[in-house]
Amino acid sequence: MVGRAAYIAVDWGTTNRRAYAMTAGGAVVDSLQDDRGVLALTQDDYPDAIAALRDRFGVHSVVMAGMVGSTRGWREAPYIDAPATLQDLAAACLEVAPDVRIIPGIALRSGPRPDVMRGEEVQVLGAISTGAAPSTALFCQPGTHNKWIETVDGAITDFTTVMTGELFALIRSHGILAGMLDGPVADSDAFRDGLRRGREARNLAAALFEVRAGVLLARLAPWDAAAYASGIMIGADVGTRSDLGQRPVYLLAGGALATLYGVAITEASGRAVAVPDGSTTAGIHAIWSSRA
């Protein structure tokens, strides 16, 4: 028997929301997923949204991760500095209403470059908490903004955000390549050719223009253009990593994009390890447990 709900965990993203009724032992007893992401809400909408979740799951504590704590969300939960552990995140949770807390993100404030994350840190540290990944590891989280995340002894120490997915969506719908990238994007000879081109490219913008020239000069089949362009961009992203042959890369994603990144990592002489679903709820549960 799973047990009764003890609290509500919410992964509140930009466009989507996933909410879970969680037991005290960390099991999911009920869930919902919808398009009520932060872009669909105003700040005044959140109290009613929380009330609706409690009507659905019960009047429990609520622990939220993701963009709900951003400047676009309910209230900004200030970033904490890396290195950061689950315990650090738990201690810095922002209470926005009685028994309703937002988990903060993590920032790189000093050093050669700034970067921020909000939501991914919970998934990474959740994977470590369940043993799905070791405490010292390299993670890749494909998405609109791909993340490369480094951990040492259970703390997130460094990360890099790459706008690969967003840039591909932009060139697919706007600019000179729009209309040429309507074909499928999947693992194929064209995709792998693009990977090789992207890894070796010193000038990504020039490599992308070659997609247009290749089609016009009948060196690239129109139907393969999208897969080739995607390969160029993912290959350029993966090609920035010089350490792929030194340790496994733990993939925190599912679906087609994770498959493509897995191929790209393997083609670059790395080894991709898929992390099972459930890391986000595991991370939220570890944070809830430390504050309970």
Side-chain angles (χ1 to χ4, degrees), residues 9-127:
V10 188
D11 178 12
W12 216 318
T14 303
T15 57
N16 297 301
R17 177 182 66 167
R18 298 172 180 86
Y20 309 87
M22 305 287 296
T23 69
V28 177
V29 295
D30 195 4
S31 66
L32 69 82
Q33 178 177 340
D34 57 28
D35 60 359
R36 299 279 288 167
V38 300
L39 294 184
L41 302 174
T42 69
Q43 288 185 334
D44 293 337
D45 292 330
Y46 284 96
D48 287 342
I50 295 298
L53 290 177
R54 284 172 162 165
D55 286 342
R56 164 74 180 266
F57 296 132
V59 183
H60 303 300
S61 300
V62 180
V63 183
M64 302 177 289
M67 293 300 287
V68 66
S70 72
T71 54
R72 293 186 173 188
W74 188 356
R75 192 179 305 170
E76 184 176 9
Y79 295 106
I80 63 172
D81 293 337
T85 64
L86 275 171
Q87 292 72 27
D88 296 328
L89 292 172
C93 282
L94 176 69
E95 187 166 17
V96 290
D99 226 5
V100 180
R101 296 180 177 89
I102 298 175
I103 301 168
I106 298 176
L108 300 179
R109 298 181 197 272
S110 58
R113 56 182 180 81
D115 208 337
V116 294
M117 68 163 66
R118 196 178 287 280
E120 296 91 351
E121 70 288 337
V122 175
Q123 191 175 9
V124 167
L125 297 175

Side-chain angles (χ1 to χ4, degrees), residues 43-210:
Q43 288 185 334
D44 293 337
D45 292 330
Y46 284 96
D48 287 342
I50 295 298
L53 290 177
R54 284 172 162 165
D55 286 342
R56 164 74 180 266
F57 296 132
V59 183
H60 303 300
S61 300
V62 180
V63 183
M64 302 177 289
M67 293 300 287
V68 66
S70 72
T71 54
R72 293 186 173 188
W74 188 356
R75 192 179 305 170
E76 184 176 9
Y79 295 106
I80 63 172
D81 293 337
T85 64
L86 275 171
Q87 292 72 27
D88 296 328
L89 292 172
C93 282
L94 176 69
E95 187 166 17
V96 290
D99 226 5
V100 180
R101 296 180 177 89
I102 298 175
I103 301 168
I106 298 176
L108 300 179
R109 298 181 197 272
S110 58
R113 56 182 180 81
D115 208 337
V116 294
M117 68 163 66
R118 196 178 287 280
E120 296 91 351
E121 70 288 337
V122 175
Q123 191 175 9
V124 167
L125 297 175
I128 292 173
S129 75
T130 64
S135 61
T136 299
L138 172 63
F139 294 84
C140 177
Q141 191 176 49
T144 302
H145 297 156
N146 180 43
K147 298 276 190 184
W148 297 95
I149 303 168
E150 306 246 13
T151 63
V152 176
D153 295 334
I156 292 176
T157 57
D158 195 15
F159 55 93
T160 302
T161 305
V162 191
M163 295 174 59
T164 310
E166 181 173 355
L167 290 175
F168 181 70
L170 288 171
I171 67 168
R172 202 174 195 183
S173 56
H174 300 283
I176 199 168
L177 295 183
M180 283 189 164
L181 304 182
D182 295 332
V185 176
D187 184 20
S188 62
D189 289 343
F191 176 73
R192 295 190 184 212
D193 287 344
L195 288 178
R196 287 188 285 273
R197 182 68 185 96
R199 287 200 307 271
E200 70 185 22
R202 293 186 178 183
N203 188 326
L204 178 59
L208 287 171
F209 188 82
E210 292 168 11

